[in-house]
Amino acid sequence: MNCILIDPLSSKNFWPLCSTRPVADLRIGILKISEKWSQYLSSEVSHLCRPELNKLFPCIIGEENILISGNILPSENVIIQIRSLNSGELLVDHKNMIVAIKLNEKTCKDFIEHYYNDTLSEYLLKNKRVILDEKTDSIEFVWHIFGKNGEELIKDYNLITKNRVSQSIVSNNQFIGNHIFIEEGAKVQCSILNSSKGPIYIGKNAEVMEGTVIRGPFALCENAVLKISSKIYGPTTIGPNCKVGGEVNNSVIHSNSNKAHDGFLGNAVIGEWCNIGADTNNSNLKNTYSEVKLWSYTTNNFTKTGSIFCGLIMGDHAKCGINTMFNTGTVVGVGANVFGSGFPRQFIPDFAWGGASGFSTFKMQPFLETAKAVMSRRNVDLNSDQIDLLQVVFNQTSEYRNWE
């Protein structure tokens, strides 16, 4: 069965992270949403998403296809109902929102045409509906990524480690609890790992340097590094190839990003290829203990999160200098470069250059030169399709750079 993950029409709720990727390419727990579906269904997955994302995330159609909303987090019961669908049947939740639909090659192409023509709602009316017999778990807004990270981390841990044996643990470490899994090639030295409140997963060839203290649930993904004397509070996920130090609490850091020095990061989501300067701190709680509002690219305004805890949201390729201070509920757009003293505004537009004293535009050519230099340090090339997408994001977000 071929699986296609449908990028929700509300994907702007996840910008700036999802201006450069489909929602199902987000990491929450240990795995990306797409990787979860692939494991549960034992199938390769592809994405149905906005035209500018197609080259990097192509849609692959098979003879028989299951199309699933890309913001839904899989569970065993939902999988059972998806597998039981007949061709042409539409699985919806109790709010009548699409969960999945089973289509042959011809009807799948018809579905995709309606998706791109913004006529999907009328198309779906023609299909027989099956009501899901339980509430689906999904993410609807960007802050749900850290908000639901703990639940997903536990689910992913159980999925990944089922019927497997952890690599042996070096005796110079101190362990509390027995929910710790160390993959092949990982190194953990002279550290304290406490899994009494949630599991700890150390990925293949990852490294935990000496003096580190980890309180689960926590995941350090493949080839990632926790530097000397890091302090990690769960639920936190550090993606592949990241380097992280200092204090981190309830955050998700996507792949190839660095927070290598002291400073606090809390209730945060960091994209790919980001760099957080030494002694940078973000506030995750207002002095008034009032509800945090976060910038929304959907409403072009600040929107209530429903929580008193919300820190930093940072899009791909964004960076900040040493001693940067981010206020509670700050959104930093793709490609922004933030530096200087004082607190910058709580929405820093994409490709902004500056800080509290004001901004100019980080022009595409110098931005691309920086991005290429950063990626080359990990032996990765910035290809033409990625450059085209970044140019589209630069153009799409120009309205927010009001100084231009």
Side-chain angles (χ1 to χ4, degrees):
M1 184 66 64
N2 184 52
C3 177
I4 301 171
L5 298 174
I6 311 163
D7 208 28
L9 299 178
S10 59
S11 64
K12 257 195 169 184
N13 288 344
F14 298 93
W15 281 29
L17 294 161
C18 285
S19 59
T20 51
R21 61 173 58 79
V23 172
D25 195 57
L26 291 168
R27 189 176 301 275
I28 176 172
I30 301 173
L31 303 170
K32 294 180 178 181
I33 296 173
S34 58
E35 293 170 340
K36 299 174 196 287
W37 284 109
S38 180
Q39 289 226 26
Y40 274 99
L41 294 171
S42 301
S43 168
E44 295 294 320
V45 300
S46 65
H47 301 267
L48 175 58
C49 47
R50 307 189 314 276
E52 63 265 29
L53 296 174
N54 284 345
K55 287 184 179 179
L56 292 170
F57 302 93
C59 181
I60 299 170
I61 303 171
E63 291 183 8
E64 290 291 333
N65 305 276
I66 287 287
L67 291 87
I68 301 168
S69 290
N71 64 323
I72 291 177
L73 305 170
S75 67
E76 293 287 359
N77 287 338
V78 172
I79 296 293
I80 290 169
Q81 286 198 256
I82 287 175
R83 289 189 182 280
S84 67
L85 287 174
N86 297 313
S87 188
E89 284 187 333
L90 173 66
L91 182 65
V92 296
D93 64 16
H94 294 280
K95 296 179 181 177
N96 209 31
M97 301 298 290
I98 180 173
V99 174
I101 186 168
K102 186 175 182 180
L103 299 171
N104 61 33
E105 185 175 1
K106 181 179 181 301
T107 54
C108 184
K109 289 178 179 177
D110 192 27
F111 179 98
I112 291 171
E113 184 177 335
H114 283 280
Y115 178 88
Y116 284 119
N117 291 336
D118 292 325
T119 56
L120 200 53
S121 296
E122 59 189 66
Y123 168 82
L124 293 173
L125 291 173
K126 304 173 186 177
N127 297 86
K128 180 183 176 182
R129 277 168 156 69
V130 177
I131 306 297
L132 192 69
D133 63 10
E134 66 169 42
K135 183 180 178 182
T136 56
D137 199 5
S138 63
I139 55 172
E140 305 295 337
F141 300 97
V142 68
W143 58 85
H144 288 170
I145 299 169
F146 65 78
K148 297 191 176 186
N149 195 51
E151 302 162 31
E152 286 301 300
L153 217 156
I154 293 167
K155 283 166 56 179
D156 287 351
Y157 180 90
N158 292 333
L159 178 68
I160 291 170
T161 64
K162 186 177 181 180
N163 299 323
R164 297 178 64 217
V165 177
S166 170
Q167 180 181 276
S168 59
I169 297 169
V170 178
S171 61
N172 62 18
N173 295 288
Q174 182 176 348
F175 299 96
I176 303 167
N178 57 3
H179 299 290
I180 299 169
F181 195 95
I182 314 291
E183 293 282 7
E184 180 183 354
K187 293 185 249 183
V188 185
Q189 292 282 352
C190 300
S191 296
I192 301 172
L193 280 68
N194 183 350
S195 66
S196 62
K197 300 295 183 182
I200 294 173
Y201 174 84
I202 309 298
K204 186 176 180 181
N205 297 322
E207 181 176 8
V208 179
M209 292 185 179
E210 51 272 24
T212 292
V213 181
I214 301 170
R215 190 178 182 88
F218 171 71
L220 184 70
C221 297
E222 187 171 347
N223 293 315
V225 175
L226 274 179
K227 302 195 77 177
I228 287 174
S229 297
S230 300
K231 295 181 289 185
I232 310 296
Y233 298 86
T236 287
T237 299
I238 297 173
N241 306 306
C242 291
K243 293 181 180 178
V244 171
E247 183 179 359
V248 181
N249 175 48
N250 188 199
S251 296
V252 176
I253 304 176
H254 286 73
S255 59
N256 297 298
S257 288
N258 290 344
K259 179 205 171 296
H261 305 285
D262 284 344
F264 174 72
L265 182 72
N267 300 96
V269 186
I270 308 298
E272 295 185 358
W273 303 109
C274 297
N275 191 72
I276 295 175
D279 285 324
T280 291
N281 292 281
N282 80 263
S283 167
N284 63 342
L285 175 68
K286 290 183 176 183
N287 288 346
T288 60
Y289 286 64
S290 58
E291 180 180 1
V292 180
K293 293 182 179 180
L294 200 68
W295 177 262
S296 167
Y297 286 81
T298 302
T299 63
N300 288 338
N301 209 333
F302 288 90
T303 187
K304 294 179 178 180
T305 63
S307 175
I308 63 171
F309 290 103
C310 185
L312 175 66
I313 310 296
M314 181 177 274
D316 291 355
H317 293 280
K319 295 169 178 59
C320 64
I322 62 170
N323 295 311
T324 303
M325 299 187 295
F326 290 112
N327 221 324
T328 321
T330 294
V331 173
V332 180
V334 171
N337 201 309
V338 187
F339 53 87
S341 61
F343 286 94
R345 56 200 278 190
Q346 285 166 280
F347 170 50
I348 300 170
D350 305 68
F351 301 94
W353 175 278
S357 60
F359 291 100
S360 59
T361 299
F362 198 1
K363 300 292 188 183
M364 276 303 292
Q365 192 54 44
F367 162 77
L368 291 174
E369 290 172 3
T370 300
K372 288 175 182 177
V374 169
M375 295 173 73
S376 69
R377 287 166 58 87
R378 285 186 167 93
N379 299 313
V380 178
D381 292 326
L382 181 65
N383 64 44
S384 58
D385 292 337
Q386 292 168 323
I387 291 171
D388 289 345
L389 174 58
L390 290 164
Q391 182 66 63
V392 169
V393 175
F394 183 89
N395 296 336
Q396 286 176 332
T397 57
S398 62
E399 63 180 293
Y400 303 115
R401 298 187 292 273
N402 54 19
W403 56 83
E404 291 182 342

